[in-house]
Amino acid sequence: MTRPSPKIGVYGFTGCAGDQLMILNCEDQLVDLFGATEIRSFVMAKSDNHEAELDVALVEGSISTEAQLKHLKDIRERSKVLIAIGTCACWGGPQAMKLGDGKFEERYKKVYGNAKITVSKAIEGQPLDAFVKVDMKIPGCPIDKQEFLKSVSKLVAGKHPYLLKSPVCLECKWKENKCLLLDGKFCAGPLTKGGCGAVCPSHNLPCVGCWGPTDDLNVSAEYDLLKEKGFVPEEIITKIRKFGGSGVMELVKNLEKKEAKK
Amino acid sequence: MMILKMKKEDLPAFLESAKEWGELWGPTTKDGKTSYAKVDSLSQMDLKATRTVIPPKKFLYPPRFTMFDFDEEGFVERTGDVPKRILFGLHPCDVHGILIMDKLFLETYKDPYYAERREKTLLLGHSCIPDDKCMCFATNTDFVAEGFDLFFTDLKMFYLVWVGSSKGHDLVRMRADLFSRNLDKNDILNYTEYRKWKTAQFKAKIDLTGMPDIFELGYNSPIWDELGEKCLSCGQCSMVCPTCNCYNVVDEVDLGTAEGTRDRFWDSCMFREYSVVAGGHNFRDKRADRLRLWYTHKLQAFIGEFGKPACVGCGRCVATCPVDINVATVSTALKEQEVGK
Ligand code: SF4
Ligand code: SF4
Ligand code: SF4
Ligand code: SF4
């Protein structure tokens, strides 16, 4: 049984283009990928692009201008499935670390002053699902080749992709690493979605949370533990928010409320 | 069961001959962490280390492995490609852990992947040096009488060697010249002395008597909520516990084909996703409920079903949990109705 090749579009908004680059970096499987699918649009990779109906749109980056928002809505309208790729598209990325603090205008003024902006009006950077329905999130900074290819392969085969939901600690323990939290290091592993192979802790470097929040994170327990280890509250919250974006916004707010009551 | 005697200096020669049976694996320590690794000889092993990060369950039931390859026609099992291994240096708690895995994977429903690895792995136990986290005295797993192929008890000048299976006996016969059956009065006295010594080493504060009743009484205790608030849901406790055995199964397909693999990997009931059922309902949405399940399973339900706890007292949860949730702190908190600092 042969299925028609799915029509795919790859797009990038506010991000480092690392996720699109990672797709191009799938050297061994790139030919298969282009063979098994019909890549209708991928501006970063080719010049002959058709903006038409899509089976799957892979979208990188957060939305931070009105023009981007318009483009995103257009992509959504003509795509059966829309997948956010990379932490910026999924949760907002570092540009969303202050999300929801109500001080965007203030920050904007500080940077641009009264300069006349002719490109497109900037808005506070937010993940795709703040504006349109997102069918699936493949986070990562950048995304992991294997996780990406496994997901696409399943989509092409008409099956549901499976992404690990558990935290970085799962694979960290498979590698028999000693937990860095026990050594008093700031490891964001328990808060962060796994699938990266626990690369950082396996090199004795604490996880910084670059894959964004995991399925079920206990922000307040991590906060209490780190405070006990001697970290100051501002640093803990800044680091949790660095890649957490919309995924930790409410959790951090609750934590701050709880702390204020103490 | 048979007990033999061997001069300590003969161990390297014995292991050298045993390598004819299969790869030799033992505990090694690097950068302050101990894990089982493939070795050439005894000199590479660290027999003084009390525990490895991950217990030897990883050989019988790897963290992630492929069960079979499939295509549109059917599937082909991936059995047959497991190497023959000799694991040297398992402590009594490790062997007890494997005995529990055997119950789960070989009795009612025989798991072919586990069975194959178990068949191809020889377990050579070795006596241990307890540390302040060891709790096997509380779980009756400080000594072991079955489950191993050979067990070496270090009595300073000699080893007493328990022969626990015919495969173990085959290894002995490869170098029968190194073993003696002549045990005398002194050997008995030395062994008795050794048992006394070991029993006197334990420092952990834990008493698991009456646990099934305490769990029953404490089912609705607010202690679970308090513990749930502390737990990071990191799942490390399940990965390191020798009796945790839950897994997830996922299919992967090759790009552009209908061919692929069915993979199995370690999971944990401490994760929210673990108890999600069809329709998105979750019976254990609360962290407190998941913790209660983990500990009830170890210290109450398993006793009800198998007459012993599913905790072998290895101390790995004590050595691992970043927020000090472990069998000792949980059982104490439940008894004293207070979560310790
Ligand atoms: S080192 Fe970090 S990622 Fe690894 S187990 Fe500890 S907290 Fe988790
Ligand atoms: S519960 Fe803790 S002490 Fe008991 S077997 Fe598991 S890791 Fe070891
Ligand atoms: S828990 Fe008991 S059997 Fe295991 S290493 Fe410690 S003392 Fe030995
Ligand atoms: S009990 Fe400890 S090791 Fe287990 S999931 Fe909770 S924080 Fe992690």
Side-chain angles (χ1 to χ4, degrees), chain B residues 5-15 42 47-48 88 126-127 129 152-161 178-179:
Chain B
K5 193 171 161 182
M6 176 199 226
K7 282 206 217 82
K8 267 185 88 173
E9 68 253 34
D10 287 340
L11 185 59
F14 168 70
L15 291 176
L42 181 68
L47 294 183
K48 290 203 171 70
F88 186 77
H126 190 285
S127 52
I129 307 167
F152 293 75
T153 299
D154 183 348
L155 297 182
K156 296 199 179 99
M157 304 292 284
F158 290 94
Y159 274 120
L160 286 187
V161 184
L178 304 179
F179 296 87

Side-chain angles (χ1 to χ4, degrees), chain B residues 209-227:
Chain B
T209 46
M211 268 307 131
D213 297 331
I214 303 284
F215 270 81
E216 196 57 42
L217 289 166
Y219 189 82
N220 291 317
S221 166
I223 288 295
W224 295 117
D225 292 315
E226 273 183 59
L227 291 169

Side-chain angles (χ1 to χ4, degrees), chain B residues 39-54:
Chain B
V39 294
D40 294 320
S41 65
L42 181 68
S43 61
Q44 287 166 292
M45 296 190 212
D46 178 6
L47 294 183
K48 290 203 171 70
T50 304
R51 67 181 69 75
T52 50
V53 179
I54 297 284

Side-chain angles (χ1 to χ4, degrees), chain B residues 133 135 139 237 240-244 294-295 298 310-318 326-327:
Chain B
K133 301 179 179 74
M135 300 174 290
T139 48
C237 46
V240 303
C241 180
T243 72
C244 272
W294 205 95
Y295 282 96
K298 303 272 178 218
C311 167
V312 295
C314 72
R316 285 187 177 87
C317 51
V318 182
N326 55 58
V327 272

Side-chain angles (χ1 to χ4, degrees), chain A residues 16 24 41 49 51 57 59 76 90 117 129 148 161-162 200 206 259:
Chain A
C16 67
L24 291 173
S41 176
N49 296 302
E51 299 309 328
V59 186
R76 175 69 270 190
C90 296
I117 308 293
D129 64 359
F148 171 76
Y162 177 83
C200 299
E259 286 303 294

Side-chain angles (χ1 to χ4, degrees), chain A residues 167-173 177-182 185-192 198 200-202 205-207 222 225, chain B residues 232 234 236 320 322:
Chain A
V168 173
C169 306
L170 179 83
E171 290 174 297
C172 188
K173 275 277 102 44
N177 298 322
K178 187 169 178 237
C179 182
L180 294 164
L181 285 171
L182 293 176
K185 303 252 171 64
F186 193 131
C187 189
L191 306 180
T192 309
C200 299
S202 301
L205 296 167
C207 167
E222 174 101 3
L225 175 66
Chain B
L232 297 162
C234 68
Q236 291 192 70
T320 305

Side-chain angles (χ1 to χ4, degrees), chain B residues 272-286 289:
Chain B
R272 204 190 68 87
E273 183 203 13
Y274 182 85
S275 37
V276 176
V277 295
H281 185 72
N282 195 328
F283 291 107
R284 289 187 293 271
D285 206 23
K286 274 172 63 193
D289 292 343

Side-chain angles (χ1 to χ4, degrees), chain B residues 160-171:
Chain B
L160 286 187
V161 184
W162 275 250
V163 182
S165 74
S166 56
K167 279 191 213 146
H169 199 207
D170 290 345
L171 286 191

